[in-house]
Structures are given as structure tokens and as C-alpha cells.
Amino acid sequence: MEATCNGSKDSSPVFYLVGIPSLLESFFLLVFLIFLLISLLILVGNELILVSVVAEPSLHKPTYFFLINLSALDILSTTTTVPKMLSLFLLEDHYLSFPACFLQMYLFHSFSCSEAFILVVMAYDRYVAICRPLHYPVLMTPQTNAALATSAWLTALLLPIPAVLQTFHMAFDNTAHICHGFYDHLVVVQATYSDTTSQTFMGFCIAMVVSFLPLLLVLLSYAHILASVLRISSREGCSKAFSTCSSHLLVGTYYSSIAIAYVAYRADLPLDFHIMSNVMHAILAPVLNALINMLRNKDVKAAITKMACPQGPGNSGTLNP
């Protein structure tokens, strides 16, 4: 096929989303049902968290303010990528226009970066609450919380722009085949005929910024938290401190999935592994966040129960501070 430059007025390339190349067509419906179930868990779970935190006055605290930011990002990220995958496996709808491809790519990476930064802010919030409890009301004011959340969102919205713009002006076939389940930056770069050296380097830099650096900051925060908890003589105090962080203990899953997804491109691994590592990154973290916060966070669980059964006998008490 003839290569075309996307900057020319007479070219209108489209992208063909292959999906999982080795997956037999007879398994498409099963994969569709699995992805549909996971996406419903993500959407329903995070919407319950959002509504319960907003509706319950006792949860209007910095910790839960950042939690609803995380839930909103999980919903946005899921609705960016999963609908196209569902359409691919149910209707075999493989095609997407050039602008729609780059919009999905930009939104997916923006929301992923935002989530990485929000997790850092949540770890900092727990560090201040446990290691510097007397300074917590002064350090974590509503204005500070809003500034931290806004900075995380704005930084993440701006960070992918240079990579997306450079990829936008690369040369593609009139029909470019993308061996993936959705439009990720590096797989789109692999479909171009242009020199990809600068794009690969930029992808590496972005991966470092949104995975290894935030993970280092999160680990540093929890190292301080662990040291403080071990100094608490009261068993009840230790238990309360650990329970405060219990819903955040799997954040390493999120950062490691980003790193694995990037390393998979650089290593000589089967194509299906490349695809599944990125797909798992797209859906694993959101569903874990929803399930952990609904099942392990006692305050959120109590708020959801109170909202679902307002007249229940177990809802007469107050939520934990």
C-alpha cells in the first residue's frame, strides 16, 4: 500500500484495530463477555464510591476527596478504551478514523498519567496523616487539596501532547494496521513509515515520569509511614494506621503494569504478550481500585450500605473518623 503523509490535504488514513491476533473467532464472544463484566464492575463500583462519598458528610475529608478523583479517572479511562474493544469483539468493528484514533490515544495516556500522580498525592496525604498528625489540618487544607489535585490533572493533560503531536505528523498507510486492543502510543508509532527513534525515546521518558518516579515517591512515603507505625506502642493505634492505608497497598500494581507494558515493547516477546500487558494495564488497576475501596475501606463500605439501606438497623451509628 502507498504510504501517505498525514499532513497532506488529500490523504485520509484510517486505522484497522487487529485486536488479539492469535485469538480464534470462536472465543470473541467469551472475551466480549469478560471485558463487559469487568467494565461494568469498574463503572458501577467507582460510581458507587463517588456517590457515597459526596452524599456522606463525614467523608468530606482530604483522603476521600482524592479518592473520588481516582474513581472519576477510572471511569473516564475505562470509557475511553473499553467500548471500542467491546465493539471489536462483538461486532468485529475494526476501523477507526485518524482523528478518533489520536483522540483515544491522547485521552488514555492523559488519564493514565493523572491516575499515577493522584496516587502519589494520596500517598502524601497518608504520610502527613500518620507521620505528622498534628500538622495535618494545617498542611492539608481544602485549598491545598484542590491545588494538588488540579496540578495532577493539568500536568497529565499536558504531558502526552508533544508525543501525540509528533506521532500525528508521521507517515502512515491509507489503512494502517494496529496489532492491539486499543490505540496506545507505541503501537501506533510501530505502524508508521517514519523514523521512530525520537518517538521511542520520548515514550521511554514518559514511562519513567509516570511509573518509576511516582512509584519511588509512593515507596518513600510508605517507608516513613511504616517507620512511624512501628514506633506506635498501642496495638489499636497500629491497627488503625494500617487500616488507613489498606486501600492503597496495591498501588504498585498500577505502576508496575505501566513499566511491564513499556518493557514488553522493548523485549523480544510474543505479540500477544505485548497486547495483553497493555490491556491488563488499562482494566486491571481500575477494577482493583473499585473492589479494594468498596470491600476494604470500612468508611466507604459503611457509606454505601447506609445509602442502599437508609432504614437498616446497622446504619444508626456514625462512620469512623
Side-chain angles (χ1 to χ4, degrees):
M1 283 179 282
E2 182 184 355
T4 60
C5 179
N6 302 318
S8 61
K9 296 181 180 179
D10 58 346
S11 65
S12 181
V14 294
F15 289 91
Y16 181 91
L17 197 63
V18 175
I20 305 173
S22 64
L23 183 68
L24 297 176
E25 191 173 340
S26 57
F27 289 101
F28 277 20
L29 181 59
L30 176 61
V31 174
F32 165 80
L33 292 174
I34 293 172
F35 282 6
L36 179 63
L37 176 61
I38 292 174
S39 63
L40 288 176
L41 283 173
I42 294 170
L43 295 176
V44 173
N46 283 291
E47 285 172 3
L48 280 174
I49 292 171
L50 276 169
V51 174
S52 63
V53 171
V54 172
E56 177 54 54
S58 64
L59 297 184
H60 294 177
K61 303 173 183 177
T63 300
Y64 298 104
F65 169 72
F66 297 128
L67 179 59
I68 62 174
N69 275 267
L70 187 65
S71 294
L73 284 166
D74 285 338
I75 292 171
L76 291 171
S77 179
T78 301
T79 53
T80 297
T81 56
V82 174
K84 182 60 183 178
M85 287 193 284
L86 295 178
S87 175
L88 188 154
F89 290 114
L90 181 65
L91 306 174
E92 298 188 30
D93 178 19
H94 292 272
Y95 291 94
L96 198 65
S97 68
F98 185 80
C101 164
F102 279 84
L103 177 62
Q104 185 190 88
M105 182 173 68
Y106 168 72
L107 291 176
F108 169 70
H109 286 291
S110 292
F111 296 145
S112 296
C113 294
S114 296
E115 188 156 345
F117 299 148
I118 286 292
L119 288 171
V120 173
V121 174
M122 292 176 74
Y124 173 73
D125 170 72
R126 292 300 83 207
Y127 159 74
V128 176
I130 295 172
C131 300
R132 305 181 65 183
L134 298 179
H135 297 87
Y136 188 80
V138 178
L139 293 176
M140 303 304 291
T141 63
Q143 294 79 11
T144 302
N145 301 334
L148 288 171
T150 302
S151 299
W153 280 81
L154 288 179
T155 303
L157 288 172
L158 295 174
L159 190 61
I161 289 178
V164 172
L165 287 178
Q166 282 193 17
T167 310
F168 186 87
H169 290 96
M170 287 182 161
F172 295 92
D173 276 338
N174 286 323
T175 301
H177 285 68
I178 305 295
C179 294
H180 209 283
F182 58 90
Y183 295 94
D184 178 63
H185 170 247
L186 286 177
V187 294
V188 174
V189 168
Q190 289 175 346
T192 183
Y193 283 95
S194 303
D195 179 26
T196 62
T197 304
S198 62
Q199 282 293 307
T200 303
F201 178 74
M202 187 176 295
F204 172 78
C205 293
I206 293 175
M208 295 302 103
V209 171
V210 301
S211 60
F212 292 110
L213 180 59
L215 178 59
L216 180 63
L217 294 173
V218 169
L219 292 177
L220 185 62
S221 297
Y222 280 100
H224 284 287
I225 290 171
L226 181 61
S228 296
V229 167
L230 293 176
R231 289 197 295 267
I232 299 175
S233 56
S234 165
R235 183 175 179 180
E236 181 182 353
C238 287
S239 176
K240 185 175 180 180
F242 275 122
S243 67
T244 318
C245 304
S246 62
S247 60
H248 306 161
L249 293 180
L250 289 180
V251 295
T253 304
Y254 181 79
Y255 296 116
S256 61
S257 64
I258 299 177
I260 291 171
Y262 178 80
V263 170
Y265 288 113
R266 309 298 297 161
D268 186 17
L269 296 170
L271 179 60
D272 288 342
F273 183 87
H274 292 240
I275 297 169
M276 290 309 300
S277 63
N278 252 15
V279 169
M280 293 307 294
H281 159 60
I283 64 176
L284 180 62
V287 75
L288 283 177
N289 285 336
L291 291 176
I292 290 170
N293 284 298
M294 285 195 302
L295 300 177
R296 293 285 299 160
N297 192 308
K298 295 180 180 179
D299 290 348
V300 172
K301 186 163 61 174
I304 293 174
T305 304
K306 181 179 178 180
M307 183 176 61
C309 309
Q311 302 302 323
N315 295 326
S316 56
T318 58
L319 298 173
N320 296 328

